[in-house]
């Protein structure tokens, strides 16, 4: 479900007509008959926008993309009134200072940044203060983008320039002007929406091999390995090899993950093979040799379950064959 | 090059600032302090491609700082001074993408204060190093910053003090206007051609850097090399052998002042930015671990193998062993 958001109903009027939207139990929230598209009037300001968007996204988890439409002010005269701009990054100004967090939209081609201001910018001095950060100003965008990031949803913002910030000195004058232009601007925003191509972030679908059993942790690891190897499924020749093994589906998964890890870490696998060879005198008598997790330290532990004097004799012989310098050289890259 | 130029009000009339502004297009905007905007909000790193701002500012606080261990040749004191923040190049492994909250360039214009601090530090020291290029490339914007004549003037009369100009740039035109000094070393960061092409985005390619080195060598400028970061791939050692072959055709390697070797490594916050900014980079298929120091890097046996092999190669090609040091590695 695609969700379109507007601060005010007049900005959305053309969309109601075109999309044949139906009211729902939630005031300000409308959907098409097939639930493919929804529309939310968030209200003005960051608090309204955050509350209402969060509420709807919580109630409608099928929303997979949010598109914000509305008006904004341009600080510089180079911004043409009535022209639509796709927003790149949102910043927030609370009236005194900028807040640190910024949020970037999912439109990779957008070039225009925008400051969401807690208050209307009617004063040219305020516009000058904001200008070094961005030259477009609105009242909700940062908040909407922030909520979408929290819900991990792609977010796009398209703004039509309504005025040049600081030139219209009163709120009344600004509201009257926007109201007058609303039908025209709403139609322009609708036309823009209808022209848009889908801009979804790349999502990979991974293919899980049949006959194997994956825990949740193993699923995450499997996808992580595939992503790093730039694959969407396990290599065919590897699967053939694993399916031939006479082991349980769960153990086949473990084996698959080990093989994928080796493919990702060929150098580390080489180091481990050398260490396996160097510690063979000990491991073949049943001792275990424990190295530092990432081989960052040179030290290691040897453990053996001793059940008889013979075990100790075997250990003594194995230690005589074991070369500490050989291990140290491997751990220090001297091979 | 710059979308906006911001200048701190208190320095607008200084000759250095005026000289910089004359080289740039556009009218500067006056601000009280660069700290009112730079890093106050998080500006996405990749916006440096399309909307890069320049700040001209007065650096406050500590201007010359002690370098971390293993920063330079062992046994000598090393310091770095802050002349600028951020770089116009875009290497996908660059730590600057996680270090600052904005990619905008800041040029600090109070070199006289830096010089005073350096002068204090070098008293009663037989030898001391100062490094430029910690937070920025030393030469990339040297035609704008106008800093090189100031540096040469300072170091000319202080022969116990050494300056390293670390760079990936081929912008040597301002350098060539000056007479070489034995205690100012231009050190070039080099990688095999394919590695540089893959990772050193928007930087001069290897051949151009070698050409710049040759020009400087012909003019008797002392040179050094950073094989840093070394990024492992199949045939890594063979690639460095080819690189050394090309170097020997450029300059006589026994003239190189020193070579530093360092494998790629990241603080974790920087690696997070690399994942975000360059999601398709081959770095994400690398065999990294998180070390006990919290840094993302190759496992120690792998690091040491790479460094040992490349050090052996350097020695094979005629670089004296005592001129080679491992950077940021014990």
């Amino acid at each position: 479900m695609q969700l379109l958001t507007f601060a005010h109903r007049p900005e959305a009027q053309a969309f109601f007509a075109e999309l044949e939207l139906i009211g729902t139990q939630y005031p300000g929230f409308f959907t098409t008959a097939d639930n493919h598209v929804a529309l939310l009037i968030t209200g003005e300001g960051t608090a309204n926008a955050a509350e209402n968007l969060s509420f709807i996204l919580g109630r409608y988890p099928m929303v997979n993309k949010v598109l914000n439409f509305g008006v904004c002010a341009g600080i510089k005269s180079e911004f043409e009134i009535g022209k639509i701009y796709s927003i790149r990054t949102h910043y927030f100004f609370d009236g005194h200072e900028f807040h640190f967090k910024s949020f970037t939209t999912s439109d990779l081609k957008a070039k225009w940044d925008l400051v969401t201001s807690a208050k209307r910018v009617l004063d040219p001095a305020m516009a000058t203060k904001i200008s070094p950060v961005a030259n477009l100003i609105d009242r909700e965008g940062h908040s909407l983008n922030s909520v979408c990031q929290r819900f991990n949803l792609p977010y796009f913002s398209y703004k039509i320039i309504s005025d040049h910030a600081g030139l219209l000195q009163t709120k009344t004058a600004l509201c009257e002007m926007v109201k007058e232009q609303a039908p025209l601007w709403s139609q322009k925003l609708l036309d823009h929406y209808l022209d848009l191509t889908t801009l979804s972030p790349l999502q990979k679908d991974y293919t899980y091999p049949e006959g194997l059993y994956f825990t949740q942790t193993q699923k995450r690891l499997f996808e992580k390995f595939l992503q790093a190897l730039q694959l969407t499924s396990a290599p065919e020749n590897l699967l053939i090899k694993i399916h031939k093994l006479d082991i349980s589906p769960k153990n086949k998964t473990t084996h698959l993950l080990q093989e994928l890890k080796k493919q990702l870490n060929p150098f580390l696998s080489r180091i481990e093979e050398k260490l396996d060879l160097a510690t063979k005198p000990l491991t073949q008598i049943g001792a275990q040799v424990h190295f530092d997790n990432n081989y960052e330290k040179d030290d290691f532990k040897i453990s053996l379950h001793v059940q008889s004097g013979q075990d100790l004799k075997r250990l003594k012989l194995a230690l005589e064959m074991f070369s500490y310098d050989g291990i140290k050289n491997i751990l220090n890259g001297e091979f | 090059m710059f979308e906006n130029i911001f200048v701190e009000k208190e320095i607008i009339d200084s000759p250095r600032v005026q000289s910089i502004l004359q080289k740039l297009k556009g009218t500067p905007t006056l601000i009280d302090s660069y700290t009112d905007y730079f890093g106050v909000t998080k500006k996405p790193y990749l916006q440096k491609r399309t909307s890069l701002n320049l700040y001209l500012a007065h650096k406050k606080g500590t201007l010359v700082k002690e370098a971390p261990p293993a920063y330079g040749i062992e046994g000598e004191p090393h310091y770095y001074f802050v002349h600028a923040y951020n770089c116009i190049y875009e290497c996908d492994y660059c730590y600057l993408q996680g270090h600052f909250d904005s990619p905008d360039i800041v040029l600090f214009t109070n070199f006289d204060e830096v010089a005073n601090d350096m002068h204090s530090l070098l008293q009663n020291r037989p030898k001391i190093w100062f490094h430029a290029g910690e937070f920025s490339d030393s030469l990339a914007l040297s035609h704008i910053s106008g800093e090189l004549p100031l540096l040469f003037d300072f170091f000319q009369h202080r022969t116990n003090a050494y300056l390293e100009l670390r760079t990936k740039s081929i912008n040597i035109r301002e350098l060539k206007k000056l007479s070489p000094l034995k205690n100012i070393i231009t050190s070039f960061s080099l990688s095999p051609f394919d590695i540089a092409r893959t990772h050193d985005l928007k930087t001069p390619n290897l051949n151009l850097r070698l050409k710049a080195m040759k020009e400087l060598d012909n003019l008797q400028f002392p040179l050094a090399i950073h094989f840093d970061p070394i990024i492992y791939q199949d045939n890594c050692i063979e690639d460095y052998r080819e690189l050394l072959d090309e170097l020997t055709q450029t300059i006589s390697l026994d003239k190189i002042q020193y070579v530093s070797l360092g494998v790629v490594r990241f603080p974790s916050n920087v690696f997070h930015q690399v994942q975000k900014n360059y999601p398709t980079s081959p770095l994400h298929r690398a065999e990294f671990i998180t070390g006990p120091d919290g840094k993302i890097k190759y496992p120690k046996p792998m690091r040491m193998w790479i460094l040992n092999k490349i050090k052996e190669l350097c020695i094979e090609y005629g670089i004296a062993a005592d001129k080679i040091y491992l950077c940021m590695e014990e």
Side-chain angles (χ1 to χ4, degrees), chain B residues 184-228:
Chain B
I184 295 187
I185 291 128
T186 309
S187 64
F188 283 83
S189 297
L190 302 175
S191 298
F193 189 88
D194 284 342
I195 294 279
R197 188 174 56 181
T198 303
H199 296 281
D200 294 359
L201 308 174
K202 302 187 196 322
T203 63
N205 67 38
L206 172 67
N207 294 336
L208 291 174
R209 290 186 225 175
L210 291 177
K211 190 174 164 218
M213 285 179 75
K214 189 171 180 137
E215 271 190 69
L216 291 177
D217 181 52
N218 288 343
L219 294 169
Q220 314 291 316
F221 282 87
L223 299 173
I225 295 169
H226 289 291
F227 287 147
D228 192 353

Side-chain angles (χ1 to χ4, degrees), chain B residues 54-289:
Chain B
L54 172 68
Y55 293 85
L56 299 182
H58 181 104
K59 178 89 175 72
K60 296 183 172 64
T62 311
L63 303 174
V64 184
K65 301 185 185 186
E66 195 169 359
Y71 193 82
I73 295 172
E74 204 182 343
E76 292 165 2
H78 293 270
Y79 292 81
Y80 66 89
F81 61 89
V82 183
H83 63 110
Y85 286 161
N86 283 319
C87 182
I88 57 169
Y89 301 134
E90 202 190 307
C91 303
D92 67 359
Y93 49 75
C94 183
Y95 79 100
L96 291 176
Q97 61 190 307
H99 190 85
F100 294 115
D101 292 314
S102 168
D104 289 336
I105 306 286
V106 184
L107 288 181
F108 296 111
T109 60
N110 48 323
F111 177 76
D112 52 334
E113 293 177 37
V114 171
N116 286 342
D117 285 3
M118 287 199 291
H119 182 75
S120 301
L121 283 166
L122 60 82
Q123 299 304 310
N124 304 315
R125 305 244 201 170
K127 193 173 184 182
I128 182 170
W129 283 87
F130 296 100
H131 301 266
E134 174 67 11
F135 296 121
S136 186
D137 190 281
S138 301
L139 295 184
L141 295 177
S142 55
H143 59 296
I144 294 173
S145 70
E147 213 163 39
L148 290 176
L150 303 173
L151 286 166
F152 272 67
D153 188 54
F154 178 87
F155 282 89
Q156 185 174 20
H157 305 292
R158 296 165 175 89
T159 53
N160 63 323
Y162 284 72
L163 172 66
E164 181 193 43
L165 297 170
R166 220 175 257 205
T167 187
K168 286 190 173 111
S169 177
I170 56 170
N171 185 17
I172 58 174
R173 135 187 76 157
E174 296 303 309
L175 200 52
K176 281 161 61 175
K177 291 176 185 171
L178 303 163
S179 298
L181 293 175
K182 285 184 182 171
N183 57 336
I184 295 187
I185 291 128
T186 309
S187 64
F188 283 83
S189 297
L190 302 175
S191 298
F193 189 88
D194 284 342
I195 294 279
R197 188 174 56 181
T198 303
H199 296 281
D200 294 359
L201 308 174
K202 302 187 196 322
T203 63
N205 67 38
L206 172 67
N207 294 336
L208 291 174
R209 290 186 225 175
L210 291 177
K211 190 174 164 218
M213 285 179 75
K214 189 171 180 137
E215 271 190 69
L216 291 177
D217 181 52
N218 288 343
L219 294 169
Q220 314 291 316
F221 282 87
L223 299 173
I225 295 169
H226 289 291
F227 287 147
D228 192 353
I230 299 169
I231 298 172
Y232 180 80
Q233 57 179 22
D234 292 340
N235 304 316
C236 175
I237 306 306
E238 274 314 302
D239 290 340
Y240 274 88
R241 183 179 287 281
E242 273 179 39
L243 173 54
L244 282 158
D245 279 336
E246 288 176 78
L247 262 168
T248 53
Q249 287 163 40
T250 304
I251 57 172
S252 177
L253 291 182
D254 59 1
K255 289 163 80 179
I256 293 291
Q257 301 294 307
Y258 52 82
V259 176
S260 82
L261 309 179
V263 284
V264 69
R265 65 249 173 224
F266 309 88
S268 58
N269 63 321
V270 172
F271 193 67
H272 177 68
Q273 292 299 314
V274 174
Q275 289 172 315
K276 192 174 150 195
N277 294 329
Y278 306 100
T280 58
S281 169
L283 288 172
H284 305 307
R285 298 195 292 282
E287 299 183 54
F288 291 138
I289 52 104

Side-chain angles (χ1 to χ4, degrees), chain A residues 87-330:
Chain A
I87 304 304
R88 179 173 62 180
T89 298
H90 286 101
Y91 300 92
F92 182 62
F93 182 70
D94 67 12
H96 300 286
E97 58 185 15
F98 288 95
H99 285 209
F100 176 72
K101 275 195 174 177
S102 63
F103 299 98
T104 299
T105 69
S106 303
D107 187 348
L108 301 177
K109 293 180 184 167
K111 293 177 195 173
W112 304 102
D113 299 328
L114 176 145
V115 169
T116 296
S117 174
K119 296 175 185 175
R120 285 181 192 278
V121 177
L122 302 170
D123 171 13
M126 189 67 74
T128 304
K129 192 166 182 182
I130 289 174
S131 172
V133 174
N135 287 297
L136 297 174
I137 305 174
D138 82 343
R139 302 290 317 284
E140 296 84 30
H142 181 270
S143 187
L144 295 169
N145 201 343
S146 165
V147 169
C148 287
Q149 297 258 339
R150 187 64 74 96
F151 280 86
N152 201 25
L153 290 172
Y155 171 80
F156 302 84
S157 182
Y158 305 100
K159 296 287 188 177
I160 195 164
I161 306 293
S162 59
D163 63 295
H164 290 122
L167 293 186
L168 280 163
Q169 297 294 323
T170 68
K171 182 178 167 181
T172 311
L174 182 60
C175 288
E176 276 176 14
M177 185 271 294
V178 172
K179 196 172 165 186
E180 193 184 299
Q181 297 293 325
L184 171 64
W185 288 342
S186 184
Q187 186 60 47
K188 276 192 163 185
L189 288 169
L190 173 65
D191 292 339
H192 190 82
Y193 167 67
L194 294 173
D195 284 341
L196 283 172
T197 53
T198 306
L199 293 164
S200 302
L202 292 170
Q203 281 203 332
K204 287 192 192 277
D205 289 321
Y206 297 105
T207 306
Y208 284 84
E210 288 183 15
L212 273 65
Y213 173 79
F214 285 84
T215 63
Q216 285 302 321
T217 306
Q218 286 175 323
K219 274 184 184 172
R220 276 196 293 272
L221 210 51
F222 179 65
E223 290 184 9
K224 183 182 158 190
F225 288 155
L226 288 188
Q227 189 181 29
L229 289 165
Q230 297 190 319
L231 300 169
T232 52
S233 61
E236 198 56 46
N237 56 342
L238 178 57
L239 286 177
I240 291 171
K241 195 173 130 189
I242 285 171
H243 281 306
K244 283 182 181 167
L245 297 170
D246 186 21
I247 51 179
S248 67
K250 196 174 164 186
N251 284 336
K252 284 183 181 177
T253 304
T254 306
H255 204 83
L256 171 65
L257 293 172
Q258 280 170 353
E259 289 299 315
L260 289 175
K261 191 180 176 190
K262 269 189 199 170
Q263 283 193 19
L264 254 182
N265 300 286
F267 200 104
L268 195 60
S269 300
R270 218 168 113 200
I271 293 169
E272 287 172 349
E273 277 168 18
K274 288 185 183 301
L275 287 171
D276 284 346
L277 198 60
T279 57
K280 207 169 173 185
L282 289 164
T283 56
Q284 65 188 12
I285 63 152
Q288 290 182 329
V289 185
H290 307 275
F291 292 97
D292 175 63
N293 217 15
N294 289 319
Y295 306 111
E296 204 61 19
K297 297 178 192 168
D298 286 355
D299 45 87
F300 50 91
K301 281 186 196 167
I302 300 169
S303 59
L304 174 70
H305 187 199
V306 176
Q307 292 180 292
S308 69
Q310 275 293 93
D311 291 335
L312 283 177
K313 277 186 190 167
R314 282 194 214 104
L315 177 60
K316 190 177 166 190
L317 276 169
L319 284 171
E320 280 167 13
M321 287 161 49
F322 177 77
S323 166
Y324 171 76
D325 285 342
I327 297 284
K328 198 170 171 198
N329 285 345
I330 295 169

